Amino acid sequence: MPESKDILNELMRTGSRKSYEVFFKKYYQDLFLWANSILKDSEAAEDIVQDFFVDFWEKKRFKSVTKNLQSYIFRSVRNSCLNYIKREQKLIHDIDHLEKEEAAPKANANTIENSQLIYSSINELPEKCREVFVLCCVHGYTYNEAAEELGVTINTVRTHMVRAFKFLREKLKSPHLFYLLFFHE
């Protein structure tokens, strides 16, 4: 998978649908996981990420990215999530007199920053290693199920998981952040 700067350069150079598809394939899943970690609502997260990609393409937002594409897209999705939370909280406040509803989850800056660091680190894993890690740790597949899904041996899955854990432990440096990979709300 190409690097962020290569994807951005290709988008700016050609603006082609093919370069956009490469961009989409590289970032969709990570942005969805990121949005879902903020909102704790997979449908809303999916809507926000889809809206981001549509807006990014239709309004040629890639032309306004001057430095780091990855930071730009994660920040954009985070801001959309925070705006969504604000709208939800206002809506809840407005109809609170009609019925008691649980307020939308509040996102604090630390949680968002930690989540972005975690998902950025996961995104840096080699493609196959990341696929195995996401299947096992995010989607809850067993090693056997992941091996079957990907058409590889269980030993290959184990090897990828060992490499992923080692990389993430070193990359995240903080035991607290590594712990958050597995025990977040």
Side-chain angles (χ1 to χ4, degrees), residues 27-95:
Y27 289 108
Y28 179 83
Q29 185 172 11
D30 295 327
L31 288 172
F32 169 77
L33 292 171
W34 170 229
N36 194 37
S37 75
I38 295 169
L39 299 174
K40 310 292 190 258
D41 179 349
S42 61
E43 289 180 15
E46 186 174 9
D47 288 345
I48 285 173
V49 172
Q50 287 175 356
D51 289 347
F52 164 78
F53 278 105
V54 169
D55 183 66
F56 191 80
W57 176 250
E58 288 181 350
K59 296 184 178 172
K60 306 285 187 224
R61 300 259 187 229
F62 53 87
K63 291 181 177 181
S64 63
V65 178
T66 56
K67 294 196 186 233
N68 187 324
L69 175 64
Q70 190 168 318
S71 293
Y72 175 86
I73 64 175
F74 276 92
R75 186 175 53 251
S76 295
V77 169
R78 179 198 65 203
N79 290 343
S80 295
C81 289
L82 294 176
N83 288 337
Y84 173 83
I85 290 169
K86 285 178 189 173
R87 283 191 307 274
E88 286 298 301
Q89 287 175 337
K90 182 173 179 358
L91 179 63
I92 288 169
H93 182 267
D94 290 347
I95 63 172

Side-chain angles (χ1 to χ4, degrees), residues 10-22 57 60 62:
E10 187 65 22
L11 278 168
M12 292 178 105
R13 190 174 63 77
T14 67
S16 72
R17 186 171 210 74
K18 182 176 171 72
S19 60
Y20 179 75
E21 287 172 4
V22 170
W57 176 250
K60 306 285 187 224
F62 53 87

Side-chain angles (χ1 to χ4, degrees), residues 3-4 27 46 49 76 82 86 93 96 104 113 122 127 131 141 164 167 173 175 177-178 181 183:
E3 292 293 323
S4 297
Y27 289 108
E46 186 174 9
V49 172
S76 295
L82 294 176
K86 285 178 189 173
H93 182 267
D96 194 40
E113 195 174 300
I122 291 170
E127 184 177 357
E131 278 181 325
Y141 282 40
F167 174 82
K173 295 182 181 139
L177 288 176
F178 189 71
L181 280 170
F183 302 102

